[in-house]
Amino acid sequence: MPLPKAELHLHIEGTLEPELAFELAVRNGVELPYADTEALREAYRFEDLQSFLNLYYELMAVLRTERDFEDLANAYLARAAAQGVRHAEIFFDPQAHLARGVDMGTVVDGLWRALGVSEDAHGVSTRLILCFLRDESAESALRTLDAAKPYLDRITGIGLDSAEVGHPPAKFREVYEAAAALGLRRVAHAGEEGPPQYITEALDVLGVERVDHGLRCMEDPALVERLVRERIPLTLCPLSNVRLRTVDVLAEHPLPAMLDAGLVCTVNSDDPAYFGGYAGDNFDAVRTSLGLGEERLRELARNSFVASFLEDDEERRARYLAEVDAYTF
Ligand code: HPA
Ligand code: ZN
């Protein structure tokens, strides 16, 4: 039995496996510029974040109907459950779909057809987090939040993703203020490729409660001290960091140093179809390559539930934490 864990950094569009991409392409009459799944997998050699994003947005063309989003989410939830994920807080990128003529209702209703029954179907509780694309305008983000208003009963929070450098958090001050006023939780990608200053800005200007990635905080000791003091969780994605060349090899990932520094680290998969593994695969990889012992792995699993947006269901959080504490490796 795998270690129970929560996944807090997962882009649902990044769970689109080549086999499902081709299945949906056929179903929807969409032509993909790859001969077969093998040819597509060949394209999974990334130089950096942008080279990945180009393929990530290209493949989304196959997602058109509620059923497509439902199938995508069910495929992820089944894989996640098999790797010990008990709770998943799932990102989605509505602007990437709106731009293709797929409306907010199709995306949210489709995802919810899977998420709404996930506890019974997969044994995984879920939350949904709407991400804004930071390389789009602040006005576009505000329009997107507006389009999401009829669906807020199913949306727990907002996030910020896509190309980081040149798009600092402060660009999105207004939409984060508006989201906070609507009672939405706030997270943002910061310090993946962008500088430590973006992490500080995400905290001070956007009021984020967790930082997605946050890896580059390690370049700024005063920032590390603050993140430790304020118990700000970081949602790290080790296999993603290697594939996008944020770190050269997994054996040099700063996760052990980050844990030693007292940071509240979690381990997640980001875009598992593209980066070579789901949540459990990321745990296995850090155990093997970084030599993390059982107590460190248990700490990472505990952190994932502590950092979860489960304030509306503390009983459930306590149950999950008890499962982690009782786990025998
Ligand atoms: N970083 C930024 N944006 C993203 C990512 C990522 O790893 N995955 C999907 N959108
Ligand atoms: Zn991400």
Side-chain angles (χ1 to χ4, degrees):
M1 194 186 79
L3 177 64
K5 57 185 77 68
E7 173 135 82
L8 306 179
H9 186 155
L10 181 280
H11 303 265
I12 196 65
E13 297 89 347
T15 70
L16 181 58
E17 294 283 347
E19 291 72 19
L20 183 57
F22 274 92
E23 188 185 322
L24 297 182
V26 170
R27 189 198 280 176
N28 293 322
V30 174
E31 188 110 17
L32 286 177
Y34 303 93
D36 50 30
T37 54
E38 213 158 292
L40 176 52
R41 277 209 167 84
E42 282 292 304
Y44 289 13
R45 292 204 192 110
F46 309 115
E47 303 294 317
D48 54 15
L49 175 57
Q50 188 61 56
S51 64
F52 154 70
L53 290 170
N54 295 341
L55 182 63
Y56 171 80
Y57 293 125
E58 180 182 46
L59 277 198
M60 282 183 204
V62 304
L63 296 165
R64 303 230 47 105
T65 67
E66 280 188 28
R67 186 175 155 216
D68 300 339
F69 287 94
E70 177 187 12
D71 289 351
L72 179 70
N74 269 324
Y76 162 68
L77 289 162
R79 283 175 181 264
Q83 296 200 357
V85 172
R86 305 283 285 109
H87 176 77
E89 303 195 347
I90 297 175
F91 295 143
F92 70 112
D93 282 332
Q95 283 157 296
H97 308 304
L98 292 165
R100 302 181 293 109
V102 177
D103 65 26
M104 185 71 77
T106 301
V107 181
V108 177
D109 288 341
L111 292 174
W112 203 255
R113 277 158 60 160
L115 270 54
V117 296
S118 170
E119 270 191 74
D120 288 337
H122 303 286
V124 180
S125 52
T126 63
R127 297 286 185 274
L128 203 48
I129 298 179
L130 181 160
C131 280
F132 301 112
L133 303 183
R134 67 200 309 153
D135 44 357
E136 298 289 330
S137 69
E139 293 70 32
S140 173
L142 283 162
R143 283 196 300 275
T144 305
L145 181 62
D146 223 39
K149 281 186 182 156
Y151 307 96
L152 292 185
D153 56 333
R154 280 162 281 173
I155 297 173
T156 297
I158 58 159
L160 189 62
D161 64 4
S162 201
E164 184 180 7
V165 175
H167 302 285
K171 178 177 165 186
F172 297 95
R173 176 200 298 265
E174 201 180 338
V175 76
Y176 270 69
E177 281 173 2
L182 291 167
L184 291 162
R185 312 296 295 264
R186 289 165 287 170
V187 300
H189 284 51
E192 180 187 21
E193 286 190 345
Q197 175 59 32
Y198 283 18
I199 300 173
T200 304
E201 224 177 88
L203 295 169
D204 292 340
V205 180
L206 304 185
V208 302
E209 302 169 77
R210 297 195 299 245
V211 175
D212 295 314
H213 292 298
L215 201 66
R216 289 190 59 191
C217 73
M218 295 304 275
E219 296 167 28
D220 180 347
L223 175 58
V224 170
E225 208 173 287
R226 174 185 180 183
L227 292 167
V228 170
R229 193 175 57 245
E230 297 182 12
R231 309 292 299 154
I232 305 287
L234 307 179
T235 62
L236 301 173
C237 307
L239 289 176
S240 164
N241 296 150
V242 175
R243 290 299 182 98
L244 299 186
R245 306 197 184 184
T246 315
V247 302
D248 290 334
V249 291
L250 197 52
E252 288 169 20
H253 197 282
L255 174 62
M258 296 174 90
L259 288 168
D260 287 344
L263 288 162
V264 183
C265 298
T266 66
V267 164
N268 308 270
S269 68
D270 210 1
D271 301 279
Y274 294 90
F275 300 151
Y278 287 76
D281 300 316
N282 273 270
F283 268 75
D284 289 346
V286 298
R287 178 171 50 77
T288 308
S289 295
L290 298 171
L292 292 188
E294 291 177 4
E295 286 322 300
R296 280 303 197 203
L297 296 171
R298 197 187 304 277
E299 177 185 351
L300 289 168
R302 282 198 121 261
N303 287 349
S304 72
F305 293 115
V306 169
S308 296
F309 291 149
L310 279 167
E311 281 76 3
D312 58 351
D313 197 351
E314 290 294 351
E315 236 171 73
R316 178 186 298 277
R317 192 198 319 265
R319 210 160 57 236
Y320 289 150
L321 285 169
E323 275 185 50
V324 174
D325 291 341
Y327 184 79
T328 47
F329 285 87

